[in-house]
Amino acid sequence: MTAADPLISIVEDDESLRQALIGLVRSLGYRVAGYPNAEDFLAADARERSDCVVTDIQMPGLSGIELKERLTAEGVGTPVIMVTARAEPALKDRALASGAFCFLKKPFEVDALIECLERALAA
Amino acid sequence: MRRGGERQGQMGGEELGDLFDLVHDSIFVRDLDGRVLAWNAASAELYGWDADAARTQPAHELLTTRHADPLPDLEARLLADGRWDGELMRRAADGRELVIEARWSLQRDARGQPTAIVETGRDITARRATEDALRKSERRYRNLFGAMAVSYWDLDFFAVGQMLWQLRADGVTDFATYLAAHPEVSREMMRVTRVIDVNEETCALYRADKAALVAGDVERFWPEASTHVYSASVVAAVSRAPSFSAETRLRRWDGAEFDALFTACFPRESVGAGSLLIGVIDLTERNQAQAALHALQAEFAHAARVSMLGELTASIAHEVNQPLAAISTNASAGKRWLSRAEPDLDELRGINDRIVADAQRAAAIIARVRGMAERRAPEVGPIAINPVIEEALGFLRHELQGKGVTVSLSLAPDLPPVTADRTQLQQVLVNLAVNAIQAMVNAGAETRTLALRSEAADGGGVRVSVSDSGPGIPDENLPRLFQSFFTTKDGGMGMGLPICRSILESHGGTIEARNGPDGGASFLFTLPAAEV
């Protein structure tokens, strides 16, 4: 792994799922950084350096959708993949409307996540 | 008094005066026509007529003498037998009714002809009144004993008293400890207790003939497992308690056991006389009704829990999905590490551990849901309230987060344990919290705060409040909140709060609703401290 490898940021408040996602991204050979909430992610100034963000939607503080809106407002076009365990159809519409690159439901098909991730990095 | 008709005219005169008047009993002499010849001082005092007023008066008219038999009959008997005694009713000069124990004796002259009648009389009015009162009281007591719908036992425990006296002489001072260690001594006490009498209800309750019960002992009516209750009643008697009562199991004549309230009274005088009155009330029906009520209450509580779980389905699904997502993500990462030319064993070990932990977490969530959904009898025991509050919040973690509710927790340390069924108590807390969340969400409240507080209640129990920052409860709804089928929710059954109340009340607690000073609704419940 080198500095040239893509950096994926994971924003997920659930500790064990965050660790699992970090492990998955590492197994794919990418660099990875994990944050328990959107505020920490923004404070770490990772938005500039990340090549892709994988974020939960429901979190204490800023939601994943609000995070994407914040990035868009700041002119940061990093692709954002959103995952959620909630099932409301309206949520998917709101996520996609905010410009989510992908919208995935937990427990998601991991292959679908990888496929999304690779598409985002290729974009 | 002398015999002799020739002197009768002087009777009561100077010669006899002193002695006659010194006698304490009333003595007067009347001729055969009933006219008073002599009248002593005691007669004057008793009847209120002095000697001058009485002399020559017809005695029976003067004193309004009455008897169950006609007076001529009594006089006839006197003439035949020479004497008569009995009780007479009389009226004194001032109108007082008197009961007189009278003795008449017939005086005869030298030829044997009757000449006069001497009556000695004693006022037994007071004694008779006391006897009457006693008889009435005895009759009343007999009637009570016989007719009450309570089994009464009149017991002779003289021999038990002797055993206790002997134990004391042998150095036993703490009878409670001694009898606890020696149940066989209590059994022996039962065997030496004699049944003096029982009432009809006893025969009915114990399904035994009175003849079989009376003169027997009481051991057969006490199951081994109830011996400690008998011992406690003996200890109560020894420690001069005025009475004793306890719920226990007793045995009928045929050996069948029943739930009973056993009561004993230890009035000093009857204990001194070695007798004891025992009352036994059959609690079978009451206990069956209570058990049925508890079963029904548990059924309702269960139905409410299941319905509550239904409302929380989305949150529960979310919570189970988290570890499941983590597991599939970890497994996928593991597959990738394995397919490398040189598998990274450290990564694989980490992944493996995380999968195990996540599987356990999912199992714990399912166990928690199943605990709530299960239909089982309540298990009431002493539990600490604060962990139950925290568990209830754990149940609602995703619900709270999803609805943007902040929790403010204020749990007092060192609270006494309460006697409760953990699941039902958790149900109350979850129910109140879900109501609070829904109230805040439906009102579109900007700040959504759920405040849970536990504190010591007045009188030694625990008080818990569940408060929200929602719109509060309209005043007109406050009195109806805990009524069945009262609901303000679409599709609500209106059973949540009534069931919360029935759960709390079945644990000896209370619940009330208020509106907070800064708006928002507050539900406060109390539970008594567990008896240690």
Side-chain angles (χ1 to χ4, degrees), chain A residues 12-14 16-17 19-21 23-24 26-29 56 58-60 85-86 106-108 110-111 114, chain B residues 314-315 318 321-322 324-326 328-330 332-333 336-337 340 347 354 358 361 397-399 401-403:
Chain A
E12 166 66 67
D13 64 314
D14 187 288
S16 77
L17 185 54
Q19 292 305 328
L21 288 168
L24 177 71
R26 217 171 23 231
S27 76
L28 293 168
D56 190 9
Q58 260 87 27
M59 290 180 292
R86 298 200 81 95
K106 301 177 194 173
F108 41 80
V110 183
D111 290 343
I114 294 167
Chain B
S315 274
H318 184 153
N321 277 342
Q322 294 285 59
L324 293 183
S328 64
T329 305
N330 275 313
S332 177
R336 260 155 246 285
W337 288 115
R340 293 199 175 186
E347 282 282 357
R354 289 202 295 271
D358 281 320
R361 184 173 144 208
R397 202 162 55 99
H398 280 84
E399 187 72 10
Q401 193 182 304
K403 302 281 164 62

Side-chain angles (χ1 to χ4, degrees), chain B residues 199-440:
Chain B
N199 66 350
E200 285 303 312
E201 182 63 21
T202 300
C203 299
L205 174 58
Y206 282 78
R207 295 174 189 153
D209 289 339
K210 190 164 176 168
L213 294 172
V214 172
D217 65 67
V218 298
E219 195 198 8
R220 65 182 297 150
F221 308 111
W222 287 91
E224 297 283 340
S226 301
T227 304
H228 67 283
V229 175
Y230 177 90
S231 304
S233 74
V234 170
V235 170
V238 169
S239 57
R240 294 177 176 269
S243 64
F244 173 82
S245 84
E247 285 190 29
T248 185
R249 301 270 295 166
L250 293 174
R251 202 182 275 145
R252 299 181 208 275
W253 184 259
D254 59 13
E257 290 185 12
F258 65 101
D259 292 332
L261 178 68
F262 172 85
T263 63
C265 252
F266 313 118
R268 199 68 63 79
E269 52 277 17
S270 57
V271 169
S275 85
L276 193 58
L277 190 63
I278 296 295
V280 176
I281 296 172
D282 185 0
L283 297 183
T284 309
E285 283 185 18
R286 188 203 73 172
N287 288 359
Q288 279 171 351
Q290 264 179 2
L293 198 63
H294 282 146
L296 195 65
Q297 194 256 342
E299 282 287 313
F300 272 118
H302 172 254
R305 281 202 301 278
V306 171
S307 135
M308 195 170 70
L309 286 174
E311 289 185 49
L312 294 172
T313 307
S315 274
I316 294 163
H318 184 153
E319 229 190 320
V320 180
N321 277 342
Q322 294 285 59
L324 293 183
I327 287 168
S328 64
T329 305
N330 275 313
S332 177
K335 193 169 78 182
R336 260 155 246 285
W337 288 115
L338 278 170
S339 58
R340 293 199 175 186
E342 281 184 39
D344 187 326
L345 289 182
D346 284 343
E347 282 282 357
L348 284 164
R349 263 186 220 109
I351 283 168
N352 198 60
D353 290 349
R354 289 202 295 271
I355 287 176
V356 169
D358 281 320
Q360 281 168 350
R361 184 173 144 208
I365 294 161
I366 288 163
R368 204 159 64 201
V369 172
R370 196 166 56 193
M372 273 281 197
E374 227 165 26
R375 181 200 305 262
R376 53 160 189 79
E379 288 164 21
V380 177
I383 53 172
I385 190 100
N386 288 343
V388 181
I389 295 174
E390 284 164 349
E391 282 162 30
L393 280 178
F395 210 88
L396 293 169
R397 202 162 55 99
H398 280 84
E399 187 72 10
L400 291 161
Q401 193 182 304
K403 302 281 164 62
V405 177
T406 313
V407 174
S408 148
L409 205 54
S410 162
L411 305 180
D414 306 325
L415 289 175
V418 295
T419 307
D421 174 76
R422 175 178 292 271
T423 305
Q424 288 196 351
L425 195 50
Q426 211 174 71
Q427 169 179 3
V428 169
L429 286 158
V430 172
N431 199 323
L432 294 178
V434 167
N435 284 356
I437 295 167
Q438 287 176 350
M440 291 188 284

